[in-house]
Every structure is written in C-alpha cells, then in structure tokens.
Amino acid sequence: MFNKRTGEVMAQQLINWGVDHIYGMPGDSINELIDDLRKRKEEIEFLQIRHEETGALAAAAYAKLTGKLGVTLSIAGPGAVHLMNGLYDAKADRAPVLAIVGQVQSEEVGTDAFQEINLERMFDDVAVFNRRAETEAQLPDLLDQAIKEAYTNKGVSVLIVPDDLFAKKQTSDVRLTSGEYYKPEIFPRQEHLNEARQLLENAERPIILAGKGTKHASNELIHFAETIKAPIILSLLAKGVIPDNHPYCLGQHGQIGTKPSYNAMKETDLLILVGTQFPYRDFLPEDVKAIQIDNNPGNLGKYYPIELGLAGDSKETLAALSELIPPVEKRNYLEYYQEKMNDWRIALQEEKRQEDNPLHAPQVMYEIEKNMQPGAVISGDVGNVTVWLARFLHLVNQKFIISGWLATMGSGLPGAIAAQKAYPDKQVIGVAGDGGFSMGMHDFVTAVKYDLPIKMVILNNSKIGMIKYEQEQMGHLNYATNLGEMNFAKFAEACGGEGYRIQSYEELGPKMKQAFLSNKPVIIDVVIEDQAPLPGKIDYRSAVNFSKYIVAEFFDTGNLDLPDMKKALKRLR
C-alpha cells in the first residue's frame, strides 16, 4: 500500500524535474517540508539564505542564466512578503521560477491567525500560477502543474501550502498529471520568410537590435549580420551574446549605450528586432519599416509598429533567413559606423587606461578585464555601475546577468551566488555600487558558509550615484543621496571571507590581482571619485537641465563645478 509523507513525495518530484538546489530559510510554516528535504540533501541542496529577497533574486538569476527552473522556499507572512522583489524580477525578465510558500495550519486559514496574510491575493499580480492547496491529495498534481506553468509562460509559479499538509500521508500514487514539460517548436511561415527577404533586399541601411532571445543563437546572429552586412546593436540583457569588440557590434543602446549605436539607429531604413522587447521608443527610429523575430507571437509588434512579424525561435529563423537571402558584398552604411565604433572604442580605452588618482570606475573596469577568465559569469547590480559595466567592461566569451526590466538595486550579490551554483567550475564576478550592495550585503555570509568563491567588486563613492545624477539632470539640487563611508573589506573579513580595500591607482593592479587569485569569497572595495555616467548621446534638454543644476549649485553653495563637461560637449555633436 502506498503510504508516504506528502513532503517526501514532493521532494522526489522536484528531483525528478531536475531541481538540484533550493534557496530559502526554515521556519514554522514549512518545517515539515524542510525535514523531508533534509533526508534528500545529497540530491537536492537547501541553501539557507539570510533574507528571502536574496533567495528569490537568486532563483530568478539562476533561471535567467540556465533556462532551468529556479526554486525558492519561504514561510508564511513576513517570509512570503520578502519574496516579492525577487519574484517581480523573475516576472519582468520572464524567468521560470517556483516559489513554495508556507501557510498557517489548514484549520486556521481564514481566522486571522498569527502571521496569516492573504497570500493568494498578494501573489496574484506577480504569478502565472497561484494556488493554495486545501488537501494533501491535491499537492503532487498542483506541484507538477505549477512547474509546467512556470516553464510554459516563462514566469513565476506560487504554490501555497499549509504546513500540516506536508506531514500527511499520500495513500495513492495515481496522478492526474505527468511530470514532464514538452517545449513547443515554432517556425515562421514560408510566405513570411519570403516577405522578409523582399524587405531586406530593398533596404540600404538595415540595422539589427538583438535581445536576450538571441543568447543561444550567437553564431546565427553573426552569420546573418555578415550576410546582409548590417551592424548589430545589443540590448543590455544581450550583453555578451557576441563579443563587445566584434567588428559588427555597435555596443548597447539607450541611455547606457554608445553614440555610434544612437546615430546608426536614427539613420536606418529597416529595423530588425531579434529576441527583444526594447521598450525605449525615444531611442528607436521614427516611421521606419521593421521586422521582428520572436518565439512568442504575442510579443510581435507589442512595442514597435512592425511591418512584418516572424513567429519563431531566433536561432532557426536567423539561419533560415541567411540561407534565403543572397549575400551582400559591401555596404557603406556598415563601414561608416564601423569606423565610428572604432573611434569610440579608442576613446574608451584611453579613459580606461588612465594612470592617475583619484580612481574612476572605467579604470576599475579595465582592471577587472585583466583578471577576467574565459567563460566567466559577470553579475551586475543596478545604478551607475550598470553604465560602467555596459560601456567599459568588454566581454569576449563571458556570460552577463542583471535585473533588466525591474532594474532592482541589490541584485548583484544574489546573481553572483546563483551563478556560482549554476557554474561551480567557472569564475564568477559580481560588480555593484555601494548603494546596491549595501541593500543585501548580509548574504555575503551565505557565500562564505557554502564556500562559493565569488569575487564582489564594490564601486564605493559613498553615494547613490545614479540618483544624484538624475537629480542634477532634472535641474534639481542633490538631496538624500549621500550614504556615508563604509569599509566593505572589513565587513568581508567579519563574515569570514577575504576583503581588499583599494584607494589609489598604485594599489589597484596589485590588490586586484591578489584578490582574484584567492579561492575564497572576496569583497574588493574600490574607493572611487563620483563621476556622472554620461549617456552615449546627450539630448539638449538634458544638457540644459544639467546647466540649471550647475547654476543652482553655484547660487546655493558658491561652488562652481563643471564635471565631465568636455565629454558632454563631444556627445552633443
């Protein structure tokens, strides 16, 4: 007779689905399941994090990096609330994540019991699947369905379970569902491919904007660009898809992008969107024909009025187009912007290789490049650091992870933890500002506890730098952007890791090298001077507002400071 604890059955289901680790914290509404996981700890590891937000952000990052299900576990009430930021990050970046959330005892649900909140209502907006089990008999089928929905809809599934149900016995192994997901294959119709060929042959200045949907199609993307002789611009989430120094690459686009990408986009006569939902219309051309490739038909034309949509996977669709279209021998538009991009790269190299004090972020990016290994994973945080990473850290064959659409500060450390779990033999580098890192730095001790040799580089200017710049760009005086000083290297040592504090150019190379040679979790605390992360192309409204800030600052304090104005004037032209 079948007679197993429900928690035991669920642990086996997770193992069968390929789940090998879970991020979470034990507690009184999930302790029954925790005990079942303890008994299977050799097959499915439970990573005890210090804050549930870290667990959810790490699960989201793991899913983004691998395409596999990220799993997080929390208690009812406060633990469940802490999950929300990480789950919204997974929703925004369309990452398959499962959250198993405890609830008060079955007989107490609905009685305003201690730590009870309406979890179904709270998770309703973030989840593609959101159910509370009412009996133990439902749970195995609900778990299978939750995982399938997360994969199918590339989103968050939430399974809410009163703790007593985990301990109750399953009396039958007969299931309504099967524990397997069948990924659909989708390919454009031939008539649409023929129409795309016509548009491509008629274009004189085509440009490709590639997103994270091309991560598995880098070779096909390059071959397609070489066939039609079109430059490639990458969204932030696609950084690393092709080498940053590839001759067809014009870098990132938007506020964090390059001037060549901005100008080339404005001059194109055919926009080719591949695996991206780039939302910033101000950085896209007006009244230009567009082709969009996406494996979700619902995304076609969602953010830009396209001429033609190709519903298909980017890898197969780009390969088919490359076979269909006669190769273009020469295109002046491409060659012109290749020259412009070469000039841009030379200017960046000059800035990165400066040997003076005080230190600036580009110098730190150059030093990271020197110590970055092939195949490394870079976990970026959000803020000014995003600009420095996108623009100055040149990737060749490395992976890049960040909180994209939600752009939540504090995501760098959880991303690094998840990356080291996903790729235990790879070098993992987290890069954060002091503002973002301090939001969740408590979980550096998690990396220490589980011997995850991540290297966290902190750009420490004692400010929330991007907000400071945004206030200035709006013409406002700075307010509440100073953070105060913090020695993160000493914090690392207090956690049991290694810490290196760098305060001068003379220290930068030797200490960075020493830190990267370590096989322990490390924080590299680099004290930098505040520097405005100027966009690749500055619009006149931003320049005027920045001038207003300078005037206001002069009248308010008597100080007249002109930071980076030479660079700003160059980017106005």
Side-chain angles (χ1 to χ4, degrees):
M1 180 180 177
F2 193 83
N3 188 33
K4 290 186 178 180
R5 283 169 53 96
T6 298
E8 180 184 359
V9 172
M10 293 177 67
Q12 183 61 57
Q13 283 179 278
L14 290 170
I15 293 168
N16 292 344
W17 275 101
V19 176
D20 60 11
H21 70 286
I22 298 174
Y23 305 95
M25 184 181 292
D28 60 1
S29 56
I30 55 172
N31 276 334
E32 293 287 1
L33 178 60
I34 291 293
D35 195 55
D36 291 303
L37 293 172
R38 175 186 63 81
K39 296 171 185 175
R40 304 300 297 275
K41 61 184 178 182
E42 299 302 321
E43 299 156 280
I44 182 167
E45 183 181 11
F46 183 81
L47 270 77
Q48 177 214 44
I49 42 79
R50 300 304 174 101
H51 195 290
E52 289 88 353
E53 180 179 0
T54 300
L57 284 167
Y62 178 82
K64 291 181 218 178
L65 280 167
T66 65
K68 299 178 182 178
L69 187 75
V71 183
T72 187
L73 179 62
S74 85
I75 67 167
V81 173
H82 286 164
L83 292 175
M84 294 300 287
N85 192 36
L87 297 186
Y88 267 105
D89 177 59
K91 175 186 177 179
D93 286 347
R94 304 195 70 233
V97 166
L98 170 67
I100 301 175
V101 183
Q103 182 55 291
V104 298
Q105 299 281 316
S106 298
E107 65 271 15
E108 293 180 340
V109 173
T111 67
D112 292 330
F114 176 69
Q115 288 195 329
E116 182 191 7
I117 61 176
N118 190 329
L119 295 177
E120 296 96 304
R121 180 178 295 175
M122 186 180 78
F123 288 116
D124 187 58
D125 180 63
V126 75
V128 297
F129 177 92
N130 177 25
R131 296 286 188 274
R132 174 171 61 86
E134 297 189 7
T135 70
E136 70 278 7
Q138 297 173 307
L139 267 169
D141 287 324
L142 285 176
L143 180 58
D144 278 340
Q145 192 60 30
I147 295 173
K148 287 181 183 180
E149 292 287 347
Y151 275 126
T152 300
N153 297 296
K154 295 182 180 177
V156 175
S157 283
V158 178
L159 183 57
I160 303 163
V161 187
D163 194 34
D164 55 294
L165 297 187
F166 294 122
K168 292 184 177 180
K169 297 294 183 69
Q170 293 286 314
T171 58
S172 173
D173 60 354
V174 177
R175 300 284 173 259
L176 299 175
T177 59
S178 60
E180 193 167 354
Y181 169 65
Y182 297 93
K183 184 178 179 180
E185 298 295 331
I186 182 170
F187 191 75
R189 293 163 59 179
Q190 187 60 46
E191 62 188 88
H192 290 160
L193 292 173
N194 293 337
E195 189 176 344
R197 171 179 173 168
Q198 192 67 44
L199 288 168
L200 289 163
E201 288 182 342
N202 291 338
E204 296 182 357
R205 299 180 302 279
I207 197 165
I208 301 165
L209 178 56
K212 66 174 184 176
T214 61
K215 281 190 173 183
H216 66 306
S218 58
N219 291 335
E220 289 77 12
L221 176 63
I222 292 171
H223 182 52
F224 175 67
E226 291 172 340
T227 299
I228 66 172
K229 294 295 185 291
I232 301 170
I233 297 174
L234 300 172
S235 72
L236 175 62
L237 296 184
K239 184 175 176 66
V241 167
I242 65 172
D244 282 318
N245 58 1
H246 192 279
Y248 279 70
C249 181
L250 299 187
Q252 269 66 55
H253 196 42
Q255 189 77 0
I256 63 168
T258 69
K259 184 176 178 180
S261 72
Y262 180 91
N263 289 336
M265 184 65 76
K266 290 299 181 183
E267 293 184 13
T268 186
D269 61 359
L270 179 65
L271 174 61
I272 306 159
L273 299 156
V274 188
T276 183
Q277 292 294 299
F278 191 84
Y280 306 110
R281 284 296 301 273
D282 289 346
F283 290 92
L284 295 178
E286 297 290 337
D287 301 321
V288 167
K289 291 181 179 180
I291 299 170
Q292 185 176 2
I293 301 170
D294 202 289
N295 63 2
N296 182 351
N299 289 338
L300 297 173
K302 187 175 181 180
Y303 289 100
Y304 194 83
I306 61 176
E307 184 82 7
L308 174 65
L310 298 178
D313 180 79
S314 62
K315 186 180 181 77
E316 285 76 20
T317 304
L318 289 171
L321 286 173
S322 297
E323 289 294 320
L324 187 65
I325 299 165
V328 175
E329 293 298 322
K330 177 182 172 65
R331 199 181 296 277
N332 293 334
Y333 170 71
L334 169 66
E335 294 176 0
Y336 175 79
Y337 279 105
Q338 285 177 324
E339 292 179 8
K340 293 295 182 183
M341 193 61 196
N342 285 336
D343 293 340
W344 176 270
R345 290 188 181 110
I346 290 170
L348 292 188
Q349 286 296 322
E350 290 174 353
E351 192 167 351
K352 288 161 66 171
R353 297 183 185 213
Q354 290 180 3
E355 299 181 357
D356 54 2
N357 289 300
L359 287 170
H360 291 100
Q363 295 168 289
V364 183
M365 296 300 110
Y366 183 52
E367 208 59 45
I368 292 173
E369 279 182 18
K370 292 180 184 178
N371 292 277
M372 189 168 59
Q373 296 175 1
V377 184
I378 314 300
S379 175
D381 215 306
V382 172
N384 277 358
V385 64
T386 312
V387 182
W388 308 130
L389 285 166
R391 190 171 295 153
F392 288 95
L393 188 69
H394 283 184
L395 305 184
V396 178
N397 56 0
Q398 292 83 15
K399 292 180 182 290
F400 179 72
I401 183 73
I402 197 167
S403 174
W405 275 70
L406 189 63
T408 181
M409 292 173 67
S411 59
L413 175 60
I417 290 171
Q420 200 70 81
K421 287 302 299 179
Y423 307 105
D425 298 327
K426 298 290 187 182
Q427 181 191 58
V428 173
I429 306 169
V431 189
D434 51 331
F437 183 70
S438 60
M439 285 187 170
M441 65 186 193
H442 41 71
D443 266 293
F444 181 74
V445 76
T446 300
V448 174
K449 176 180 178 179
Y450 291 101
D451 197 24
L452 303 174
I454 62 174
K455 306 296 178 284
M456 286 299 307
V457 180
I458 312 301
L459 304 179
N460 188 351
N461 61 5
S462 301
K463 293 180 179 65
I464 311 175
M466 178 159 280
I467 308 305
K468 174 182 180 291
Y469 173 66
E470 287 174 352
Q471 289 177 354
E472 294 169 3
Q473 192 181 40
M474 295 171 70
H476 299 166
L477 294 176
N478 296 137
Y479 183 68
T481 56
N482 289 335
L483 292 174
E485 294 185 5
M486 168 81 182
N487 188 322
F488 293 100
K490 289 185 177 180
F491 169 76
E493 293 171 359
C495 292
E498 292 185 8
Y500 297 84
R501 187 167 173 87
I502 298 172
Q503 301 182 79
S504 69
Y505 177 78
E506 291 71 25
E507 294 178 322
L508 181 61
K511 284 193 175 182
M512 189 78 78
K513 183 177 181 180
Q514 184 182 2
F516 273 89
L517 288 173
S518 172
N519 60 0
K520 294 182 178 180
V522 173
I523 290 178
I524 306 163
D525 181 16
V526 189
V527 179
I528 62 169
E529 186 178 52
D530 187 39
Q531 183 181 13
L534 295 175
K537 176 70 176 180
I538 297 176
D539 62 85
Y540 282 93
R541 183 171 62 86
S542 296
V544 168
N545 285 336
F546 197 83
S547 298
K548 288 180 182 177
Y549 158 76
I550 292 172
V551 173
E553 173 73 5
F554 175 71
F555 284 117
D556 191 61
T557 67
N559 296 326
L560 183 59
D561 188 19
L562 303 177
D564 306 311
M565 291 308 291
K566 289 182 179 179
K567 295 176 191 172
L569 290 171
K570 285 182 181 179
R571 294 176 192 177
L572 275 169
R573 292 196 286 267

